[in-house]
Amino acid sequence: MGPSATVNTEQPQVSTQPLIIGRNEHGISRKQFSPNAIKVLYRLKDGGFDAYLVGGCIRDILLGQQPKDFDVVTNATPEQVKKLFRNCRLIGRRFRLAHIVFGREIIEVATMRGHHEAPVDKNQTSQSSGEGQLLRDNVFGNIEEDAERRDFSINALYYSINDFSIHDYANGLAAIKAKQIELIGDPQTRYREDPVRMLRAVRFATKLDMSIAPDTEKPLTELASLLDNIPSARLYEETLKLFLNGKAEANFLMLRKYGLFNALFPALDGILEQNPDGFEHAFIKQMFRNTDERINAEKKVTPAFVFAALLWFPLLKITKQLQQQEQLSEYDAFQQGMNKVLSESAQHVAVPKRFTLGARDIWHIQHRLDKRAGQRAYRLTQQPRFKAAYDFLLLRVEAGEQEHTELVKWWTEYLAKDINGQKELVKALGSQGAPKGRRRTRRRSPKPAE
């Protein structure tokens, strides 16, 4: 990895004289990078600009992992980048980025960032909230300033296309060696600038099998409520990164430890707080454990299933409340409860409609799985979300709902048989498994006007 270094006990600061590790010392080859990323670097260089690969791709290769993304930083402005690449589109409002599109691969190119306190001109804007959160951040600078604006020391590593060296501005190589996630600069200030850094600290710690450095860890619980100021659409994207990356169970436990889970799913967090070692906690842990196993085995996982599980207990709680308060039947309360729980959750994590519809289907089918007589079992298996709903029932039993053990056993046997075997299973049910008549709620007649 290069020269050995020790981690400072103080928060890392960016040096104007970076540690430069030559090509023969770091052992990284250009063959380990995306060919398209190399093309982007050379075209920027040929255009007269400085260009570096930066952050996660350097970090991951040094750790022996395969990077998923290759990000480039340059002193060219987004508009100058766009002139160099016909396959470029500019995105973002908080900070303008250039996306260079090569089929399915996108190379993200960012202009080196400067200090948001710097004087601005018509092309550079910066705006902060009262809590210190950056709302606009289109301020450009040099590489030293850009390194200071990076969040963690392990992400302030730059690969130069000029001489293939690594430039380490914040003792990131030492942090990698010590397996520590540490913020650059004052943690309070950096978390207030962008509260999502708290979620990133957790995600990097679990992803890279590292610990969070003490000074970086200390403010997490105190500042967790700042996540309430983050747009729900952005928290949805962060939730996918946390729970669909193969480390969901570890992320869940760490988020709960620091009080960060409450900002994402407050209704569920409240239920878990009331019964920390109960069935609900076992269910969520088991769901994340199963999700991790599927992802690590390169099997498909739909976000609809994950969100159906995360909102299941809030849905049951709301359904019970509606039954008691509105004197509704269980069916009607369940229907209203689905609308209410999804509406309340969207204020925190904005799940797209295609996944909330999937969650609704999974919930609906839970109430139909015990109705198997006649053609009902067959028709139910033809539902697009049946397999996910069956897996959901399996999860419930696996986590401790033993009263559904026989139902799971029946469906498992049914799905394993051919059409004749399925008919025999249904026939053996007799009257069992037929739907019960749904009790309709009587509407009270309005009192006559006096």
Side-chain angles (χ1 to χ4, degrees), residues 252-280:
F252 165 66
L253 295 174
M254 194 174 285
L255 290 171
R256 288 269 299 145
K257 174 183 176 181
Y258 297 122
L260 299 170
F261 189 75
N262 183 68
L264 304 174
F265 299 96
L268 175 59
D269 192 66
I271 293 171
L272 296 176
E273 278 295 307
Q274 292 176 357
N275 193 12
D277 300 317
F279 167 71
E280 296 88 352

Coordinates of all heavy atoms in Angstrom, one line a residue, residues 252-280:
F252 N -28.4 -1.7 10.2 CA -29.6 -1.5 11.1 C -29.2 -1.4 12.5 O -29.6 -0.5 13.2 CB -30.6 -2.7 10.8 CG -31.6 -2.8 11.9 CD1 -32.6 -1.9 12.0 CD2 -31.7 -4.0 12.7 CE1 -33.6 -2.0 13.0 CE2 -32.7 -4.1 13.7 CZ -33.6 -3.1 13.8
L253 N -28.4 -2.3 13.0 CA -28.0 -2.3 14.4 C -27.2 -1.1 14.8 O -27.3 -0.5 15.8 CB -27.2 -3.6 14.7 CG -27.9 -4.9 14.6 CD1 -27.0 -6.1 14.8 CD2 -29.1 -5.0 15.6
M254 N -26.3 -0.6 13.8 CA -25.5 0.5 14.1 C -26.3 1.8 14.1 O -26.2 2.7 14.9 CB -24.3 0.6 13.2 CG -23.3 1.6 13.6 SD -21.8 1.6 12.6 CE -21.0 0.1 13.2
L255 N -27.3 1.9 13.2 CA -28.2 3.0 13.1 C -29.0 3.1 14.4 O -29.2 4.2 14.9 CB -29.1 2.9 11.9 CG -28.5 3.1 10.5 CD1 -29.5 2.7 9.4 CD2 -28.0 4.5 10.3
R256 N -29.5 2.0 14.9 CA -30.2 2.0 16.1 C -29.3 2.4 17.3 O -29.8 3.2 18.2 CB -30.8 0.6 16.4 CG -31.9 0.2 15.4 CD -33.3 0.5 16.0 NE -33.5 -0.2 17.2 CZ -34.2 0.3 18.3 NH1 -34.7 1.5 18.2 NH2 -34.3 -0.4 19.4
K257 N -28.1 2.0 17.3 CA -27.2 2.3 18.4 C -27.0 3.8 18.5 O -27.0 4.3 19.6 CB -25.8 1.7 18.1 CG -24.7 2.0 19.1 CD -23.4 1.4 18.7 CE -22.3 1.8 19.6 NZ -21.0 1.2 19.2
Y258 N -26.9 4.5 17.4 CA -26.7 6.0 17.4 C -27.9 6.8 17.3 O -27.8 8.1 17.2 CB -25.7 6.4 16.3 CG -24.3 5.7 16.5 CD1 -23.8 4.9 15.4 CD2 -23.6 5.9 17.6 CE1 -22.6 4.3 15.6 CE2 -22.3 5.3 17.7 CZ -21.8 4.5 16.7 OH -20.6 3.9 16.9
G259 N -29.1 6.2 17.3 CA -30.3 7.0 17.2 C -30.6 7.5 15.8 O -31.5 8.4 15.7
L260 N -30.0 7.0 14.8 CA -30.2 7.5 13.4 C -31.3 6.8 12.7 O -31.9 7.4 11.8 CB -28.9 7.2 12.6 CG -27.6 7.9 13.2 CD1 -26.4 7.4 12.4 CD2 -27.7 9.5 13.0
F261 N -31.7 5.6 13.2 CA -32.8 4.9 12.5 C -34.1 5.6 12.7 O -35.0 5.5 11.8 CB -32.9 3.5 13.1 CG -33.8 2.5 12.4 CD1 -33.5 2.0 11.1 CD2 -35.1 2.2 12.9 CE1 -34.4 1.2 10.5 CE2 -35.9 1.4 12.3 CZ -35.6 0.9 11.0
N262 N -34.3 6.3 13.8 CA -35.5 7.1 14.0 C -35.8 8.1 13.0 O -36.9 8.4 12.7 CB -35.4 7.8 15.4 CG -36.7 8.5 15.8 OD1 -37.7 7.8 16.0 ND2 -36.6 9.8 15.8
A263 N -34.8 8.7 12.4 CA -35.0 9.7 11.3 C -35.5 9.1 10.0 O -36.2 9.8 9.2 CB -33.6 10.4 11.0
L264 N -35.3 7.8 9.8 CA -35.7 7.1 8.6 C -37.1 6.5 8.8 O -38.0 6.6 8.0 CB -34.7 6.0 8.2 CG -33.3 6.5 8.0 CD1 -32.3 5.3 7.7 CD2 -33.2 7.5 6.9
F265 N -37.3 5.8 9.9 CA -38.5 5.0 10.2 C -38.9 5.2 11.6 O -38.8 4.3 12.5 CB -38.3 3.5 9.9 CG -38.0 3.3 8.5 CD1 -36.6 3.1 8.1 CD2 -38.9 3.2 7.5 CE1 -36.3 2.9 6.8 CE2 -38.6 3.0 6.1 CZ -37.3 2.8 5.8
P266 N -39.4 6.4 12.0 CA -39.7 6.8 13.4 C -40.8 5.9 14.0 O -40.8 5.6 15.1 CB -40.1 8.2 13.3 CG -40.5 8.5 11.9 CD -39.6 7.6 11.1
A267 N -41.8 5.5 13.2 CA -42.9 4.7 13.7 C -42.4 3.3 14.1 O -42.7 2.9 15.2 CB -44.0 4.6 12.7
L268 N -41.6 2.7 13.3 CA -41.0 1.4 13.7 C -40.0 1.6 14.8 O -40.0 0.7 15.7 CB -40.3 0.8 12.5 CG -39.6 -0.5 12.7 CD1 -40.5 -1.6 13.3 CD2 -38.9 -1.0 11.4
D269 N -39.2 2.6 14.8 CA -38.3 2.8 15.9 C -38.9 2.9 17.2 O -38.5 2.4 18.2 CB -37.4 4.1 15.6 CG -36.2 4.2 16.5 OD1 -35.3 3.4 16.4 OD2 -36.2 5.1 17.3
G270 N -40.1 3.6 17.3 CA -40.8 3.7 18.5 C -41.3 2.4 19.0 O -41.3 2.1 20.2
I271 N -41.8 1.5 18.1 CA -42.2 0.2 18.5 C -41.1 -0.6 19.0 O -41.2 -1.4 20.0 CB -42.9 -0.5 17.3 CG1 -44.2 0.2 16.9 CG2 -43.2 -2.0 17.5 CD1 -44.8 -0.2 15.6
L272 N -39.9 -0.5 18.4 CA -38.7 -1.3 18.8 C -38.2 -0.8 20.1 O -37.8 -1.6 21.0 CB -37.6 -1.2 17.7 CG -37.9 -1.8 16.4 CD1 -36.8 -1.5 15.4 CD2 -38.2 -3.3 16.4
E273 N -38.4 0.5 20.4 CA -37.9 1.0 21.7 C -38.8 0.4 22.8 O -38.3 0.2 23.9 CB -38.0 2.5 21.7 CG -36.9 3.2 21.0 CD -35.6 3.0 21.8 OE1 -35.5 3.3 23.0 OE2 -34.6 2.6 21.2
Q274 N -40.0 0.2 22.6 CA -40.9 -0.3 23.6 C -40.6 -1.7 24.0 O -40.9 -2.2 25.1 CB -42.4 -0.1 23.2 CG -42.9 1.3 23.1 CD -44.3 1.4 22.6 OE1 -44.9 0.4 22.2 NE2 -44.8 2.7 22.5
N275 N -40.1 -2.5 23.0 CA -39.9 -3.9 23.2 C -38.5 -4.3 22.5 O -38.6 -5.0 21.5 CB -41.0 -4.7 22.7 CG -41.0 -6.2 23.1 OD1 -40.2 -6.5 24.0 ND2 -41.8 -7.0 22.5
P276 N -37.4 -3.9 23.1 CA -36.1 -4.0 22.4 C -35.7 -5.4 22.0 O -35.1 -5.7 21.0 CB -35.1 -3.4 23.4 CG -35.9 -2.5 24.3 CD -37.2 -3.2 24.4
D277 N -36.2 -6.4 22.8 CA -35.8 -7.8 22.6 C -37.0 -8.6 22.1 O -36.9 -9.9 22.2 CB -35.2 -8.4 23.9 CG -34.0 -7.7 24.3 OD1 -33.1 -7.3 23.5 OD2 -33.8 -7.4 25.5
G278 N -38.0 -8.0 21.6 CA -39.2 -8.7 21.3 C -39.3 -9.3 19.9 O -38.3 -9.2 19.1
F279 N -40.5 -9.7 19.5 CA -40.6 -10.4 18.2 C -40.4 -9.4 17.1 O -39.8 -9.7 16.0 CB -42.1 -10.9 18.1 CG -42.5 -11.3 16.7 CD1 -41.9 -12.4 16.1 CD2 -43.4 -10.5 16.0 CE1 -42.3 -12.7 14.8 CE2 -43.7 -10.8 14.7 CZ -43.2 -11.9 14.1
E280 N -40.8 -8.1 17.3 CA -40.6 -7.1 16.2 C -39.1 -7.0 15.8 O -38.8 -6.9 14.6 CB -41.2 -5.8 16.6 CG -42.7 -5.8 16.8 CD -43.1 -6.2 18.2 OE1 -42.2 -6.6 19.0 OE2 -44.3 -6.1 18.6

